[in-house]
Amino acid sequence: MGRLPRSLSRCVEGGPVRSQAPMIDTHCHILPGIDDGPRDLAEALEMARIAVADGIQTIVATPHLDCERDALSPDFLRDQVARFNAALTEAQIPLTVLPGAEIRIGADLLERAKSGSLMTLADRGTHLLLELPFNSYPSYVPQLFFGLQLLGLAPILAHPERTALFRTHPEVIQGLVDRGALVQVNADSLTRWRDRTVRALAFDLLKHGAVHLLASDAHDTRHRPPQLSRA
């Protein structure tokens, strides 16, 4: 994984270093039974074993949260992560999991951010991992991002290479980056994504220095496993 922005690096680093280059996965659907990630604890633990074998030391658990529908509170997510960390310890899996969320943007996102009802990345109150619609680009996004920044929250754009509009208008991403947004690209977009346009945009963003985080966006043990090393 590339070097994290300094504030984000402080946000998620911690725990014993197992190797010369331990990896941090900042986007992973590893909590069991919450969204479209692992169905049960056994599958979640197997995902954790795959991550450790790949060299991942820390995972930020980022279940989907739709601002206009879901009510996954920070306290609920903290409790779920604490339970999963206890299961990891019992299973003797050397992995640290931190709370987070992948938040689908909606018209009320700014108000929810102001109220403190959104889980920030690693629960440090500094970064929000945000997912845009795959087939549209709401016109209020730049204003929303600016509003979050005024609150002291840095927006992280989750896997923009998978958004249809960005594949034809990558300059929109660059405009957000120029205004302080961070970009997270999925590892498998660089290694095995079947849609060539997704892979092409991921590499184009890399070439232009517009990628700040590389994450697995893992959901299971077979089709979308928590692996970063190949990318």
Side-chain angles (χ1 to χ4, degrees):
M1 185 180 67
R3 184 180 298 276
L4 293 173
R6 183 173 298 177
S7 61
L8 185 55
S9 179
R10 290 197 300 266
C11 178
V12 299
E13 286 179 350
V17 176
R18 296 187 304 101
S19 66
Q20 291 183 346
M23 291 181 291
I24 301 167
D25 189 357
T26 55
H27 181 178
C28 184
H29 301 265
I30 197 170
L31 294 180
I34 292 182
D35 58 0
D36 57 348
R39 294 165 295 179
D40 52 34
L41 179 60
E43 185 178 4
L45 291 175
E46 186 58 29
M47 287 179 66
R49 293 185 183 95
I50 291 171
V52 170
D54 193 58
I56 295 171
Q57 179 191 59
T58 303
I59 282 178
V60 183
T62 53
H64 292 288
L65 191 157
D66 188 327
C67 271
E68 296 179 346
R69 295 185 303 174
D70 296 335
L72 297 179
S73 71
D75 283 344
F76 171 79
L77 294 173
R78 291 181 190 112
D79 178 70
Q80 294 300 304
V81 167
R83 290 171 181 268
F84 188 56
N85 276 315
L88 289 170
T89 299
E90 183 176 354
Q92 298 183 335
I93 301 173
L95 179 72
T96 298
V97 176
L98 303 174
E102 180 185 12
I103 303 166
R104 188 175 180 84
I105 68 165
D108 66 340
L109 189 148
L110 190 59
E111 291 304 313
R112 291 189 65 174
K114 289 179 181 178
S115 70
S117 63
L118 296 177
M119 172 58 75
T120 56
L121 201 71
D123 198 18
R124 296 303 177 90
T126 56
H127 296 75
L128 287 176
L129 181 67
L130 303 176
E131 180 183 41
L132 297 179
F134 286 114
N135 297 310
S136 64
Y137 180 72
S139 60
Y140 58 79
V141 167
Q143 183 178 359
L144 170 64
F145 279 22
F146 181 64
L148 292 173
Q149 290 167 327
L150 290 179
L151 294 176
L153 293 168
I156 302 173
L157 194 56
H159 46 60
E161 73 277 10
R162 295 177 58 194
T163 298
L165 173 81
F166 293 154
R167 298 202 292 274
T168 55
H169 297 282
E171 69 277 4
V172 177
I173 303 177
Q174 189 62 56
L176 294 174
V177 171
D178 290 343
R179 291 172 175 83
L182 303 175
V183 168
Q184 173 260 306
V185 161
N186 284 2
D188 65 2
S189 294
L190 302 174
T191 58
R192 62 188 184 92
W193 194 264
R194 293 180 179 179
D195 188 329
R196 293 182 179 179
T197 61
V198 171
R199 189 172 183 179
L201 178 54
F203 275 100
D204 190 54
L205 291 171
L206 281 172
K207 291 176 182 176
H208 288 85
V211 176
H212 308 89
L213 297 165
L214 184 67
S216 73
D217 190 12
H219 282 66
D220 53 44
T221 59
R222 296 184 59 190
H223 302 291
R224 300 175 69 179
Q227 294 175 320
L228 297 174
S229 61
R230 184 181 175 196

Coordinates of all heavy atoms in Angstrom, one line a residue, residues 61 77 80 95 104 107 139 149 152 162 196:
A61 N -13.1 -2.0 9.5 CA -14.4 -2.6 9.0 C -15.3 -1.5 8.6 O -15.6 -0.6 9.3 CB -15.0 -3.4 10.2
L77 N -21.8 0.0 15.8 CA -20.6 -0.4 15.1 C -19.4 -0.7 16.0 O -18.7 -1.7 15.9 CB -20.2 0.6 14.0 CG -21.3 0.7 12.9 CD1 -20.9 1.9 12.0 CD2 -21.4 -0.6 12.1
Q80 N -20.0 -4.1 17.6 CA -19.8 -5.2 16.7 C -18.3 -5.4 16.5 O -17.9 -6.6 16.4 CB -20.5 -4.9 15.3 CG -22.0 -4.8 15.4 CD -22.6 -6.2 15.9 OE1 -22.3 -7.2 15.3 NE2 -23.4 -6.1 17.0
L95 N -4.8 -10.1 14.0 CA -5.4 -9.0 13.2 C -6.1 -8.1 14.1 O -6.8 -8.5 15.0 CB -6.3 -9.6 12.2 CG -7.0 -8.6 11.2 CD1 -6.0 -8.0 10.2 CD2 -8.2 -9.2 10.5
R104 N -22.9 5.8 1.9 CA -23.5 6.2 0.6 C -24.0 7.6 0.7 O -24.9 7.8 1.6 CB -24.5 5.2 0.1 CG -25.0 5.5 -1.3 CD -26.0 4.4 -1.8 NE -26.5 4.6 -3.1 CZ -25.9 4.2 -4.2 NH1 -24.7 3.6 -4.1 NH2 -26.4 4.5 -5.4
A107 N -28.8 13.4 0.6 CA -29.0 14.8 0.8 C -28.9 15.2 2.3 O -28.6 16.4 2.6 CB -30.4 15.2 0.3
S139 N -25.2 16.7 -8.3 CA -24.6 18.0 -8.5 C -24.1 18.7 -7.2 O -23.3 19.6 -7.3 CB -25.6 18.9 -9.2 OG -26.8 19.1 -8.4
Q149 N -15.5 19.5 5.0 CA -14.2 20.0 5.3 C -14.3 21.1 6.3 O -13.5 21.3 7.2 CB -13.5 20.5 4.0 CG -13.1 19.3 3.1 CD -12.7 19.8 1.7 OE1 -13.2 20.7 1.2 NE2 -11.7 19.1 1.2
G152 N -14.2 19.9 9.6 CA -13.0 19.2 10.0 C -12.9 17.8 9.6 O -12.1 17.0 10.1
R162 N -15.0 2.8 -10.4 CA -16.2 2.0 -10.7 C -17.4 2.8 -11.0 O -18.5 2.3 -11.3 CB -16.5 1.0 -9.5 CG -15.4 0.0 -9.3 CD -15.7 -0.9 -8.0 NE -17.0 -1.6 -8.2 CZ -17.6 -2.2 -7.2 NH1 -17.1 -2.1 -6.0 NH2 -18.8 -2.8 -7.4
R196 N -12.3 -3.5 -18.6 CA -11.1 -2.8 -18.9 C -11.1 -1.3 -18.6 O -10.1 -0.7 -18.3 CB -10.7 -3.1 -20.4 CG -10.4 -4.5 -20.8 CD -10.0 -4.6 -22.2 NE -9.6 -6.0 -22.5 CZ -9.3 -6.4 -23.8 NH1 -9.2 -5.5 -24.7 NH2 -9.0 -7.7 -24.0

